[in-house]
Amino acid sequence: MEYRIEHDTFGEIQVPADKLWGAQTQRSKQNFKIGGERIPTGVIQAFAHLKKSAAIASHSFGNLSEVKMKAIAAAANEVLEGKWDDHFPLVVWQTGSGTQSNMNMNEVLANRGNQLLEEWGEEERLHPNDDVNKSQSSNDTFPTALHVSGVIAVERELIPALEKLKKTLGDKSEAFMDIIKIGRTHLQDATPLTLGQEMSGWHQMLVKTEKMLKDSVQSMKELAIGGTAVGTGLNAPKGFGDKVAEEISKSVGIEFTSAENKFHALTSYDEVVYTHGAMKALAADLMKIANDVRWLASGPRSGIGEITIPENEPGSSIMPGKVNPTQSEALTMVVAQVMGNDATIGFAASQGNFELNVFKPVIIFNFLQTAKLLAEGMVSFNDNCAVGIEPNREEIDNKVKNSLMLVTALNPHIGYENAAKIAKMAHKEGTTLKEAALKTGLLSEDQFNEWVDPSKMTGL
Protein backbone atom coordinates (compact mmCIF):
# COMPACT_ATOMS: atom_id res chain seq x y z
CA MET A 1 0.00 0.00 0.00
CA GLU A 2 1.22 3.47 -0.83
CA TYR A 3 1.11 6.22 1.78
CA ARG A 4 1.36 9.97 1.95
CA ILE A 5 2.41 12.06 4.93
CA GLU A 6 -0.21 14.14 6.73
CA HIS A 7 0.32 16.20 9.85
CA ASP A 8 -1.63 17.63 12.77
CA THR A 9 -0.63 19.21 16.08
CA PHE A 10 0.86 15.88 17.19
CA GLY A 11 3.18 15.73 14.18
CA GLU A 12 3.37 13.65 11.03
CA ILE A 13 1.61 10.38 10.30
CA GLN A 14 1.27 8.07 7.33
CA VAL A 15 -2.15 7.97 5.63
CA PRO A 16 -3.15 5.63 2.78
CA ALA A 17 -2.47 7.55 -0.41
CA ASP A 18 -5.84 6.66 -1.94
CA LYS A 19 -7.91 7.97 1.00
CA LEU A 20 -9.18 11.48 1.53
CA TRP A 21 -9.01 11.46 5.30
CA GLY A 22 -6.18 13.11 7.16
CA ALA A 23 -4.02 12.82 10.26
CA GLN A 24 -6.69 12.97 12.96
CA THR A 25 -8.84 10.36 11.27
CA GLN A 26 -5.80 8.09 10.90
CA ARG A 27 -4.91 8.45 14.58
CA SER A 28 -8.45 7.55 15.59
CA LYS A 29 -8.43 4.58 13.25
CA GLN A 30 -5.22 3.33 14.88
CA ASN A 31 -6.14 4.16 18.47
CA PHE A 32 -9.68 2.74 18.58
CA LYS A 33 -9.60 -0.79 17.23
CA ILE A 34 -12.79 -1.67 19.07
CA GLY A 35 -15.60 -3.67 17.50
CA GLY A 36 -16.70 -3.25 13.93
CA GLU A 37 -19.64 -0.90 14.37
CA ARG A 38 -18.89 2.13 12.23
CA ILE A 39 -20.44 5.55 12.52
CA PRO A 40 -23.75 5.14 10.63
CA THR A 41 -24.08 6.44 7.09
CA GLY A 42 -27.00 8.56 8.26
CA VAL A 43 -24.68 10.53 10.53
CA ILE A 44 -22.15 10.97 7.71
CA GLN A 45 -24.88 12.27 5.43
CA ALA A 46 -26.13 14.65 8.11
CA PHE A 47 -22.59 15.95 8.60
CA ALA A 48 -22.36 16.64 4.86
CA HIS A 49 -25.58 18.67 4.99
CA LEU A 50 -24.21 20.52 8.01
CA LYS A 51 -20.77 21.34 6.58
CA LYS A 52 -22.24 22.56 3.32
CA SER A 53 -24.70 24.73 5.24
CA ALA A 54 -22.01 26.06 7.55
CA ALA A 55 -19.84 27.05 4.57
CA ILE A 56 -22.76 28.92 3.02
CA ALA A 57 -23.42 30.64 6.35
CA SER A 58 -19.76 31.58 6.82
CA HIS A 59 -19.66 33.07 3.33
CA SER A 60 -22.83 35.06 4.03
CA PHE A 61 -21.13 36.55 7.11
CA GLY A 62 -18.06 37.46 5.04
CA ASN A 63 -15.83 34.92 6.79
CA LEU A 64 -15.24 32.51 3.91
CA SER A 65 -14.45 33.26 0.28
CA GLU A 66 -16.96 32.30 -2.38
CA VAL A 67 -14.61 29.87 -4.06
CA LYS A 68 -13.86 28.05 -0.80
CA MET A 69 -17.58 27.91 -0.02
CA LYS A 70 -18.26 26.39 -3.43
CA ALA A 71 -15.50 23.82 -3.01
CA ILE A 72 -16.80 22.70 0.39
CA ALA A 73 -20.37 22.55 -0.91
CA ALA A 74 -19.35 20.58 -4.01
CA ALA A 75 -17.36 18.08 -1.95
CA ALA A 76 -20.23 17.75 0.53
CA ASN A 77 -22.65 17.06 -2.31
CA GLU A 78 -20.41 14.24 -3.49
CA VAL A 79 -20.53 12.76 0.01
CA LEU A 80 -24.33 13.01 -0.09
CA GLU A 81 -24.26 11.11 -3.37
CA GLY A 82 -22.40 8.28 -1.62
CA LYS A 83 -19.24 8.81 -3.67
CA TRP A 84 -16.86 8.70 -0.71
CA ASP A 85 -18.55 6.24 1.68
CA ASP A 86 -15.37 4.22 2.20
CA HIS A 87 -13.50 7.34 3.33
CA PHE A 88 -15.37 7.39 6.65
CA PRO A 89 -13.87 4.40 8.48
CA LEU A 90 -14.26 5.35 12.15
CA VAL A 91 -16.00 3.16 14.68
CA VAL A 92 -18.63 4.15 17.22
CA TRP A 93 -16.27 3.38 20.09
CA GLN A 94 -14.18 6.56 19.92
CA THR A 95 -14.18 9.82 21.81
CA GLY A 96 -17.59 10.41 23.36
CA SER A 97 -17.95 13.85 21.80
CA GLY A 98 -17.52 12.47 18.29
CA THR A 99 -14.55 14.79 17.69
CA GLN A 100 -12.76 12.33 15.40
CA SER A 101 -15.85 11.88 13.24
CA ASN A 102 -16.23 15.64 12.94
CA MET A 103 -12.58 15.86 11.90
CA ASN A 104 -12.99 12.90 9.54
CA MET A 105 -15.60 14.92 7.67
CA ASN A 106 -13.53 18.11 7.85
CA GLU A 107 -10.48 16.32 6.42
CA VAL A 108 -12.36 14.54 3.64
CA LEU A 109 -14.09 17.74 2.55
CA ALA A 110 -10.86 19.76 2.76
CA ASN A 111 -8.85 17.25 0.75
CA ARG A 112 -11.55 16.66 -1.84
CA GLY A 113 -12.27 20.40 -1.96
CA ASN A 114 -8.60 21.09 -2.64
CA GLN A 115 -8.66 18.62 -5.50
CA LEU A 116 -11.62 20.50 -6.94
CA LEU A 117 -9.93 23.88 -6.40
CA GLU A 118 -6.90 22.61 -8.28
CA GLU A 119 -9.09 21.31 -11.11
CA TRP A 120 -10.80 24.70 -11.26
CA GLY A 121 -7.46 26.45 -11.54
CA GLU A 122 -7.88 28.25 -8.22
CA GLU A 123 -4.95 29.11 -5.95
CA GLU A 124 -6.84 29.07 -2.65
CA ARG A 125 -6.68 25.94 -0.51
CA LEU A 126 -8.91 24.63 2.26
CA HIS A 127 -7.82 23.82 5.81
CA PRO A 128 -9.95 21.26 7.68
CA ASN A 129 -10.10 23.32 10.90
CA ASP A 130 -9.81 26.90 9.70
CA ASP A 131 -12.22 26.60 6.78
CA VAL A 132 -14.43 23.48 6.88
CA ASN A 133 -14.83 23.73 10.67
CA LYS A 134 -15.07 27.54 10.72
CA SER A 135 -17.29 28.87 13.56
CA GLN A 136 -17.90 25.29 14.73
CA SER A 137 -16.82 22.80 17.37
CA SER A 138 -17.25 19.04 17.50
CA ASN A 139 -19.33 19.79 20.58
CA ASP A 140 -22.04 21.48 18.55
CA THR A 141 -21.61 19.77 15.18
CA PHE A 142 -21.94 16.16 16.33
CA PRO A 143 -25.19 16.76 18.25
CA THR A 144 -26.46 18.69 15.24
CA ALA A 145 -25.68 15.78 12.91
CA LEU A 146 -27.17 13.45 15.50
CA HIS A 147 -30.48 15.30 15.53
CA VAL A 148 -30.62 15.75 11.76
CA SER A 149 -29.91 12.07 11.05
CA GLY A 150 -32.40 10.98 13.70
CA VAL A 151 -35.19 13.15 12.31
CA ILE A 152 -34.54 11.93 8.77
CA ALA A 153 -34.63 8.29 9.91
CA VAL A 154 -37.91 8.72 11.77
CA GLU A 155 -39.74 10.82 9.20
CA ARG A 156 -38.47 9.25 5.98
CA GLU A 157 -37.93 5.62 6.93
CA LEU A 158 -39.82 4.66 10.06
CA ILE A 159 -43.12 6.49 9.67
CA PRO A 160 -43.68 5.41 6.01
CA ALA A 161 -43.10 1.78 7.05
CA LEU A 162 -45.50 2.19 9.95
CA GLU A 163 -48.13 3.69 7.65
CA LYS A 164 -47.84 0.70 5.33
CA LEU A 165 -48.53 -1.84 8.07
CA LYS A 166 -51.20 0.40 9.59
CA LYS A 167 -53.11 0.44 6.28
CA THR A 168 -52.92 -3.32 5.93
CA LEU A 169 -54.29 -3.91 9.41
CA GLY A 170 -56.98 -1.29 8.89
CA ASP A 171 -58.08 -2.94 5.65
CA LYS A 172 -58.12 -6.40 7.26
CA SER A 173 -60.09 -5.10 10.21
CA GLU A 174 -62.82 -3.75 7.93
CA ALA A 175 -62.87 -6.92 5.81
CA PHE A 176 -63.26 -9.21 8.84
CA MET A 177 -65.65 -7.06 10.89
CA ASP A 178 -68.56 -9.51 10.56
CA ILE A 179 -66.65 -12.67 11.51
CA ILE A 180 -67.69 -13.54 15.08
CA LYS A 181 -65.03 -15.31 17.14
CA ILE A 182 -64.41 -16.09 20.75
CA GLY A 183 -62.47 -13.58 22.78
CA ARG A 184 -59.68 -14.45 25.19
CA THR A 185 -58.47 -12.81 28.39
CA HIS A 186 -55.78 -14.28 30.67
CA LEU A 187 -55.29 -16.83 27.85
CA GLN A 188 -58.73 -18.21 28.79
CA ASP A 189 -62.01 -18.13 26.88
CA ALA A 190 -63.94 -14.86 27.15
CA THR A 191 -67.00 -13.35 25.51
CA PRO A 192 -67.28 -13.04 21.72
CA LEU A 193 -66.08 -10.25 19.50
CA THR A 194 -65.39 -10.14 15.79
CA LEU A 195 -62.06 -10.80 14.14
CA GLY A 196 -62.32 -7.30 12.70
CA GLN A 197 -62.77 -5.81 16.15
CA GLU A 198 -59.75 -7.72 17.40
CA MET A 199 -57.62 -6.47 14.54
CA SER A 200 -58.95 -2.93 14.97
CA GLY A 201 -57.07 -2.93 18.28
CA TRP A 202 -53.85 -3.69 16.42
CA HIS A 203 -54.63 -0.97 13.88
CA GLN A 204 -55.32 1.59 16.60
CA MET A 205 -51.98 0.81 18.26
CA LEU A 206 -50.23 2.00 15.12
CA VAL A 207 -52.49 5.03 14.80
CA LYS A 208 -51.53 6.08 18.32
CA THR A 209 -47.80 5.37 18.07
CA GLU A 210 -47.61 7.17 14.73
CA LYS A 211 -48.94 10.28 16.44
CA MET A 212 -46.47 9.82 19.31
CA LEU A 213 -43.60 9.58 16.85
CA LYS A 214 -44.67 12.62 14.86
CA ASP A 215 -45.13 14.67 18.01
CA SER A 216 -41.94 13.62 19.79
CA VAL A 217 -39.61 14.01 16.80
CA GLN A 218 -40.50 17.70 16.58
CA SER A 219 -38.30 18.31 19.64
CA MET A 220 -35.30 16.90 17.76
CA LYS A 221 -35.60 19.59 15.10
CA GLU A 222 -33.84 22.05 17.42
CA LEU A 223 -30.11 22.02 16.64
CA ALA A 224 -27.04 22.68 18.77
CA ILE A 225 -25.13 24.42 16.00
CA GLY A 226 -23.92 27.87 17.04
CA GLY A 227 -23.02 26.78 20.55
CA THR A 228 -19.41 25.91 19.61
CA ALA A 229 -17.31 24.57 22.52
CA VAL A 230 -19.44 25.04 25.64
CA GLY A 231 -22.61 26.74 24.47
CA THR A 232 -21.42 30.35 24.46
CA GLY A 233 -20.91 30.54 20.70
CA LEU A 234 -17.26 31.52 21.01
CA ASN A 235 -15.61 32.18 17.60
CA ALA A 236 -18.95 32.13 15.78
CA PRO A 237 -20.66 35.31 14.54
CA LYS A 238 -23.96 36.27 16.11
CA GLY A 239 -26.80 34.57 14.28
CA PHE A 240 -24.56 31.84 12.84
CA GLY A 241 -26.63 29.01 14.33
CA ASP A 242 -29.85 30.42 12.91
CA LYS A 243 -28.34 30.79 9.45
CA VAL A 244 -26.90 27.27 9.45
CA ALA A 245 -30.23 25.82 10.60
CA GLU A 246 -31.93 27.70 7.79
CA GLU A 247 -29.50 26.30 5.22
CA ILE A 248 -29.75 22.75 6.63
CA SER A 249 -33.53 23.01 6.26
CA LYS A 250 -33.10 23.86 2.58
CA SER A 251 -30.55 21.12 2.01
CA VAL A 252 -32.51 18.35 3.78
CA GLY A 253 -36.03 19.47 2.98
CA ILE A 254 -37.13 19.37 6.63
CA GLU A 255 -37.59 22.45 8.79
CA PHE A 256 -34.93 22.78 11.52
CA THR A 257 -34.25 25.61 13.96
CA SER A 258 -31.32 26.64 16.11
CA ALA A 259 -31.84 25.62 19.74
CA GLU A 260 -32.72 28.53 22.00
CA ASN A 261 -30.42 27.36 24.81
CA LYS A 262 -27.13 25.97 23.52
CA PHE A 263 -25.94 24.98 27.00
CA HIS A 264 -28.83 22.50 27.08
CA ALA A 265 -28.25 21.41 23.48
CA LEU A 266 -24.63 20.37 24.11
CA THR A 267 -25.12 18.40 27.30
CA SER A 268 -28.68 16.99 27.19
CA TYR A 269 -30.29 14.33 25.02
CA ASP A 270 -33.74 14.39 26.56
CA GLU A 271 -35.30 14.97 23.11
CA VAL A 272 -33.63 11.81 21.83
CA VAL A 273 -34.75 9.82 24.88
CA TYR A 274 -38.28 11.14 24.34
CA THR A 275 -38.38 10.22 20.66
CA HIS A 276 -36.80 6.83 21.24
CA GLY A 277 -39.41 6.28 23.93
CA ALA A 278 -42.07 6.63 21.23
CA MET A 279 -40.16 4.08 19.16
CA LYS A 280 -40.09 1.78 22.18
CA ALA A 281 -43.86 2.19 22.51
CA LEU A 282 -44.18 1.19 18.86
CA ALA A 283 -41.93 -1.80 19.51
CA ALA A 284 -44.08 -2.88 22.45
CA ASP A 285 -47.17 -2.76 20.24
CA LEU A 286 -45.41 -4.72 17.50
CA MET A 287 -44.49 -7.40 20.01
CA LYS A 288 -48.16 -7.72 20.95
CA ILE A 289 -49.33 -7.83 17.33
CA ALA A 290 -46.69 -10.37 16.26
CA ASN A 291 -47.44 -12.59 19.25
CA ASP A 292 -51.20 -12.45 18.67
CA VAL A 293 -50.72 -13.38 15.04
CA ARG A 294 -48.57 -16.42 15.78
CA TRP A 295 -50.89 -17.58 18.57
CA LEU A 296 -54.01 -17.22 16.42
CA ALA A 297 -52.26 -19.02 13.54
CA SER A 298 -50.85 -21.79 15.74
CA GLY A 299 -51.46 -25.36 14.65
CA PRO A 300 -52.29 -26.40 12.07
CA ARG A 301 -54.19 -29.10 14.00
CA SER A 302 -53.20 -28.77 17.64
CA GLY A 303 -53.24 -25.03 18.12
CA ILE A 304 -55.77 -22.19 18.00
CA GLY A 305 -55.77 -22.02 14.22
CA GLU A 306 -58.33 -19.24 13.83
CA ILE A 307 -56.32 -17.49 11.12
CA THR A 308 -53.92 -18.63 8.45
CA ILE A 309 -50.75 -16.80 7.47
CA PRO A 310 -48.51 -17.18 4.40
CA GLU A 311 -46.25 -20.22 4.29
CA ASN A 312 -42.92 -18.73 3.24
CA GLU A 313 -40.30 -21.41 3.81
CA PRO A 314 -39.77 -24.85 5.40
CA GLY A 315 -39.82 -24.59 9.18
CA SER A 316 -37.80 -27.59 10.26
CA SER A 317 -34.73 -29.51 9.22
CA ILE A 318 -36.12 -32.73 10.71
CA MET A 319 -39.94 -32.46 10.66
CA PRO A 320 -41.19 -32.65 7.05
CA GLY A 321 -43.99 -30.27 6.15
CA LYS A 322 -43.59 -28.06 9.21
CA VAL A 323 -44.07 -24.34 8.62
CA ASN A 324 -43.34 -21.71 11.28
CA PRO A 325 -44.46 -18.11 11.93
CA THR A 326 -41.04 -16.79 11.01
CA GLN A 327 -42.07 -13.20 10.34
CA SER A 328 -43.49 -12.92 13.85
CA GLU A 329 -40.28 -14.37 15.23
CA ALA A 330 -38.10 -11.92 13.31
CA LEU A 331 -40.21 -8.96 14.40
CA THR A 332 -40.19 -9.98 18.06
CA MET A 333 -36.40 -10.29 17.95
CA VAL A 334 -36.26 -6.77 16.55
CA VAL A 335 -38.32 -5.64 19.53
CA ALA A 336 -35.90 -7.32 21.92
CA GLN A 337 -33.04 -5.37 20.35
CA VAL A 338 -35.00 -2.12 20.52
CA MET A 339 -35.64 -2.61 24.23
CA GLY A 340 -31.90 -3.03 24.77
CA ASN A 341 -31.18 0.04 22.66
CA ASP A 342 -33.59 2.06 24.78
CA ALA A 343 -31.77 1.07 27.95
CA THR A 344 -28.45 2.09 26.38
CA ILE A 345 -29.78 5.43 25.18
CA GLY A 346 -31.42 6.21 28.49
CA PHE A 347 -28.26 5.50 30.45
CA ALA A 348 -26.01 7.30 27.97
CA ALA A 349 -28.25 10.37 28.00
CA SER A 350 -28.00 10.51 31.79
CA GLN A 351 -24.24 10.97 31.56
CA GLY A 352 -24.09 14.63 30.61
CA ASN A 353 -21.39 16.10 32.85
CA PHE A 354 -21.15 19.87 33.17
CA GLU A 355 -21.16 21.37 29.66
CA LEU A 356 -21.00 18.20 27.57
CA ASN A 357 -22.42 14.71 27.19
CA VAL A 358 -19.69 12.37 25.98
CA PHE A 359 -21.78 9.37 24.97
CA LYS A 360 -22.89 10.87 21.67
CA PRO A 361 -21.74 8.19 19.18
CA VAL A 362 -23.36 5.30 21.06
CA ILE A 363 -26.59 7.29 21.45
CA ILE A 364 -27.03 7.88 17.73
CA PHE A 365 -25.77 4.42 16.77
CA ASN A 366 -28.53 2.81 18.83
CA PHE A 367 -31.15 5.36 17.81
CA LEU A 368 -30.57 4.83 14.09
CA GLN A 369 -30.38 1.07 14.51
CA THR A 370 -33.78 1.12 16.22
CA ALA A 371 -35.33 3.20 13.45
CA LYS A 372 -33.87 0.97 10.75
CA LEU A 373 -34.81 -2.32 12.42
CA LEU A 374 -38.36 -1.22 13.17
CA ALA A 375 -38.86 0.16 9.65
CA GLU A 376 -37.48 -2.88 7.87
CA GLY A 377 -39.11 -5.24 10.37
CA MET A 378 -42.55 -3.75 9.76
CA VAL A 379 -42.16 -3.83 5.99
CA SER A 380 -41.06 -7.46 6.10
CA PHE A 381 -43.88 -8.43 8.46
CA ASN A 382 -46.39 -6.56 6.32
CA ASP A 383 -45.30 -7.89 2.94
CA ASN A 384 -44.63 -11.48 4.01
CA CYS A 385 -47.28 -12.02 6.66
CA ALA A 386 -49.92 -9.39 7.43
CA VAL A 387 -51.20 -8.96 3.87
CA GLY A 388 -51.81 -12.71 3.72
CA ILE A 389 -53.77 -13.10 6.97
CA GLU A 390 -57.05 -14.91 6.33
CA PRO A 391 -59.74 -16.25 8.68
CA ASN A 392 -60.22 -19.96 9.22
CA ARG A 393 -64.00 -19.70 9.43
CA GLU A 394 -64.67 -23.32 10.30
CA GLU A 395 -62.30 -23.28 13.25
CA ILE A 396 -63.58 -19.89 14.40
CA ASP A 397 -67.21 -21.10 14.31
CA ASN A 398 -66.42 -24.31 16.17
CA LYS A 399 -64.70 -22.44 18.97
CA VAL A 400 -67.57 -19.98 19.32
CA LYS A 401 -70.12 -22.80 19.54
CA ASN A 402 -68.09 -24.70 22.12
CA SER A 403 -67.18 -21.77 24.32
CA LEU A 404 -68.55 -21.79 27.86
CA MET A 405 -68.20 -18.02 28.20
CA LEU A 406 -71.30 -17.43 26.09
CA VAL A 407 -73.04 -18.08 29.38
CA THR A 408 -72.20 -14.47 30.30
CA ALA A 409 -75.22 -13.41 28.24
CA LEU A 410 -77.46 -15.11 30.82
CA ASN A 411 -76.28 -12.97 33.74
CA PRO A 412 -78.99 -10.29 33.37
CA HIS A 413 -81.72 -12.94 33.15
CA ILE A 414 -80.87 -15.64 35.71
CA GLY A 415 -78.04 -14.05 37.74
CA TYR A 416 -74.28 -14.60 37.94
CA GLU A 417 -74.38 -17.62 40.28
CA ASN A 418 -76.97 -19.54 38.28
CA ALA A 419 -75.09 -18.79 35.07
CA ALA A 420 -71.86 -20.04 36.69
CA LYS A 421 -73.67 -23.24 37.72
CA ILE A 422 -74.61 -23.88 34.09
CA ALA A 423 -71.07 -23.25 32.84
CA LYS A 424 -69.47 -25.50 35.43
CA MET A 425 -71.98 -28.28 34.75
CA ALA A 426 -71.34 -28.13 31.01
CA HIS A 427 -67.58 -28.21 31.56
CA LYS A 428 -67.72 -31.09 34.08
CA GLU A 429 -70.11 -33.23 32.06
CA GLY A 430 -68.67 -32.37 28.66
CA THR A 431 -71.97 -31.11 27.31
CA THR A 432 -72.97 -27.93 25.54
CA LEU A 433 -74.12 -24.86 27.41
CA LYS A 434 -77.58 -25.34 26.02
CA GLU A 435 -77.81 -28.90 27.27
CA ALA A 436 -76.62 -27.88 30.72
CA ALA A 437 -78.98 -24.90 30.86
CA LEU A 438 -82.02 -26.95 29.98
CA LYS A 439 -80.99 -29.62 32.49
CA THR A 440 -81.06 -27.08 35.32
CA GLY A 441 -84.61 -26.03 34.43
CA LEU A 442 -83.68 -22.38 34.92
CA LEU A 443 -84.80 -21.38 31.42
CA SER A 444 -86.52 -22.73 28.37
CA GLU A 445 -85.00 -23.63 25.03
CA ASP A 446 -86.61 -20.60 23.40
CA GLN A 447 -85.20 -18.34 26.11
CA PHE A 448 -81.73 -19.82 25.68
CA ASN A 449 -81.86 -19.34 21.90
CA GLU A 450 -82.98 -15.75 22.31
CA TRP A 451 -80.56 -14.73 25.05
CA VAL A 452 -77.42 -16.65 24.04
CA ASP A 453 -76.82 -15.20 20.60
CA PRO A 454 -73.12 -14.45 19.83
CA SER A 455 -74.09 -11.89 17.19
CA LYS A 456 -75.74 -9.79 19.90
CA MET A 457 -72.70 -9.93 22.15
CA THR A 458 -70.17 -8.09 19.99
CA GLY A 459 -71.58 -4.59 20.40
CA LEU A 460 -72.04 -4.13 16.66
Side-chain angles (χ1 to χ4, degrees), residues 11 57 138 287 329 363 376:
S138 300
M287 177 69 85
E329 291 166 4
I363 287 173
E376 293 181 357

Side-chain angles (χ1 to χ4, degrees), residues 7-22:
H7 75 277
D8 57 14
T9 56
F10 270 54
E12 295 183 342
I13 189 171
Q14 284 187 326
V15 174
D18 62 339
K19 301 301 181 185
L20 290 172
W21 68 69

Side-chain angles (χ1 to χ4, degrees), residues 33-348:
K33 297 179 180 179
I34 306 172
E37 297 84 2
R38 288 168 57 169
I39 292 294
T41 300
V43 177
I44 303 303
Q45 296 268 306
F47 257 118
H49 285 295
L50 165 60
K51 296 298 179 178
K52 176 174 69 172
S53 299
I56 294 170
S58 290
H59 174 65
S60 72
F61 283 101
N63 295 330
L64 190 70
S65 71
E66 183 177 5
V67 70
K68 283 187 174 182
M69 179 268 288
K70 288 183 176 179
I72 293 171
N77 284 333
E78 290 182 351
V79 172
L80 291 170
E81 293 166 3
K83 188 173 182 179
W84 307 112
D85 285 353
D86 61 346
H87 294 251
F88 298 96
L90 301 187
V91 295
V92 171
W93 322 108
Q94 54 170 283
T95 178
S97 63
T99 298
Q100 282 102 23
S101 284
N102 180 46
M103 286 307 304
N104 186 184
M105 180 60 69
N106 290 336
E107 290 172 343
V108 168
L109 295 185
N111 285 328
R112 177 53 185 156
N114 286 334
Q115 290 176 353
L116 293 173
L117 287 169
E118 187 173 353
E119 291 174 11
W120 298 343
E122 298 289 347
E123 295 184 0
E124 292 189 73
R125 292 294 179 266
L126 294 168
H127 187 281
N129 297 82
D130 296 336
D131 297 313
V132 186
N133 201 61
K134 183 176 287 293
S135 299
Q136 304 157 60
S137 163
S138 300
N139 297 348
D140 68 347
T141 59
F142 198 97
T144 295
L146 187 157
H147 274 216
V148 170
S149 61
V151 170
I152 291 172
V154 170
E155 292 197 344
R156 293 186 175 165
E157 298 174 33
L158 182 55
I159 290 176
L162 186 158
E163 289 174 339
K164 186 175 189 180
L165 180 58
K166 181 185 69 173
K167 183 180 186 305
T168 295
L169 296 181
D171 291 345
K172 293 287 182 181
S173 174
E174 291 182 12
F176 303 153
M177 194 55 71
D178 64 339
I179 301 175
I180 300 170
K181 68 182 293 290
I182 201 64
R184 294 178 182 85
T185 59
H186 304 270
L187 295 181
Q188 304 296 306
D189 295 355
T191 56
L193 75 168
T194 72
L195 181 58
Q197 288 175 321
E198 188 169 50
M199 295 185 74
S200 75
W202 305 346
H203 173 257
Q204 186 63 19
M205 290 177 187
L206 301 189
V207 170
K208 298 285 282 188
T209 47
E210 180 183 12
K211 184 178 186 304
M212 293 176 193
L213 281 169
K214 288 181 175 179
D215 289 346
S216 62
V217 80
Q218 297 306 313
S219 64
M220 288 183 63
K221 293 180 179 179
E222 294 186 8
L223 306 180
I225 193 66
T228 66
V230 297
T232 61
L234 179 67
N235 291 348
K238 184 176 177 59
F240 181 76
D242 292 327
K243 180 61 177 174
V244 176
E246 177 187 330
E247 293 299 329
I248 290 175
S249 301
K250 294 177 184 176
S251 184
V252 176
I254 296 173
E255 191 68 30
F256 292 95
T257 61
S258 181
E260 182 179 350
N261 188 308
K262 301 300 192 299
F263 306 103
H264 168 270
L266 268 60
T267 196
S268 174
Y269 284 98
D270 45 16
E271 307 102 329
V272 179
V273 173
Y274 179 38
T275 306
H276 197 272
M279 290 198 281
K280 182 175 71 170
L282 170 60
D285 284 340
L286 293 175
M287 177 69 85
K288 200 271 185 199
I289 293 168
N291 276 336
D292 280 0
V293 167
R294 61 177 166 183
W295 272 107
L296 291 173
S298 61
R301 294 189 176 181
S302 299
I304 294 176
E306 291 182 347
I307 63 172
T308 60
I309 56 177
E311 298 182 351
N312 297 321
E313 63 273 315
S316 173
S317 61
I318 190 173
M319 293 175 279
K322 194 173 191 298
V323 180
N324 296 329
T326 51
Q327 289 297 320
S328 285
E329 291 166 4
L331 191 56
T332 53
M333 285 193 289
V334 164
V335 172
Q337 183 65 48
V338 170
M339 295 299 177
N341 288 353
D342 192 72
T344 299
I345 289 173
F347 178 79

Side-chain angles (χ1 to χ4, degrees), residues 393-419:
R393 292 177 181 267
E394 182 179 359
E395 194 64 34
I396 288 173
D397 290 343
N398 287 337
K399 284 182 167 56
V400 170
K401 292 174 183 175
N402 290 328
S403 173
L404 299 178
M405 287 305 100
L406 297 180
V407 77
T408 306
L410 295 178
N411 286 1
H413 305 286
I414 64 175
Y416 179 92
E417 292 190 10
N418 284 331

